[in-house]
Amino acid sequence: SATTVLSFKSGGTVRHLAIQATGGLQDALTLEGGVGEDLLLRSSGGDAAKLVSSRSGTVLRDSVAHTTSSGASAAALKLRDGSSSGSGGGTGEIALRNVTAYAPGSGATAIRCEAGDATTSLVNVVARGSVGDIDATRADGNCFASHSAFRPLLSPGMAPGTANLSA
C-alpha cells in the first residue's frame, strides 16, 4: 500500500524543504488546499508528489519534483480532484508555477493531470518524462499550460497554450 512522507492538507504553507521518499510505492508529498514553495521532492518508488484540488486552491511553486520510479503509472507529479466535502472540492483549482517535473524511469510520465473537475493551470513549467511529458487525457480539457516547456507529441490531451516551447 502506498504511503506518503509528508501529507499537508487543509491550508497553510510548507516551504524550503527537501523531502525524499525511499520506500517502495512511497510518495514524497501529498498537498491539498495549501501552498508548497521552494521544495525539492524526490521519490525512488512512488510519485514525487500528489496535488489534490481544493476550493481554496492548491499551489506548488518554485519547486522541483523528481521520481526514478518506473512503470505506466509512475509520475513526478499527479494532479487530482479533491473530494466534494471537507477542505477538498472537485471544482477547485490546482496551480503549478515555476516547477520542474522529471521522471526518467522506464514508462514514466512527468505530470499526470487527472483532475477532470478542477481547473489546473501550469505556468513556467518544465516537464520531461521517459514516455510522456504531460498526460492530460483524463482531465476533460481542464489542464492548461502557458509559458512552459514540454514535448507536445508526448503530451496527450494538452491543448496548445500561449508561449509554450517544445522541449
Side-chain angles (χ1 to χ4, degrees), residues 142-155:
N142 291 327
C143 193
F144 306 95
S146 66
H147 301 86
S148 295
F150 57 91
R151 296 169 291 182
L153 292 177
L154 295 179
S155 300

Side-chain angles (χ1 to χ4, degrees), residues 29-92:
L29 173 70
T30 296
L31 179 64
E32 180 177 358
V35 176
E37 179 178 50
D38 188 26
L39 302 176
L40 175 56
L41 307 167
R42 295 184 58 131
S43 180
S44 58
D47 305 317
K50 287 184 174 67
L51 305 180
V52 182
S53 70
S54 169
R55 287 185 206 113
S56 59
T58 300
V59 179
L60 180 64
R61 64 181 174 224
D62 306 326
S63 298
V64 174
H66 176 237
T67 184
T68 55
S69 183
S70 298
S73 67
L77 294 173
K78 286 187 181 168
L79 315 179
R80 296 187 164 161
D81 287 320
S83 65
S84 58
S85 61
S87 65
T91 59

Side-chain angles (χ1 to χ4, degrees), residues 86-131:
S87 65
T91 59
E93 179 181 5
I94 299 172
L96 300 181
R97 302 291 183 265
N98 309 319
V99 171
T100 299
Y102 183 51
S106 176
T109 297
I111 300 172
R112 291 193 184 281
C113 192
E114 301 172 342
D117 294 327
T119 299
T120 303
S121 62
L122 291 68
V123 177
N124 196 25
V125 170
V126 176
R128 178 64 67 134
S130 69
V131 298

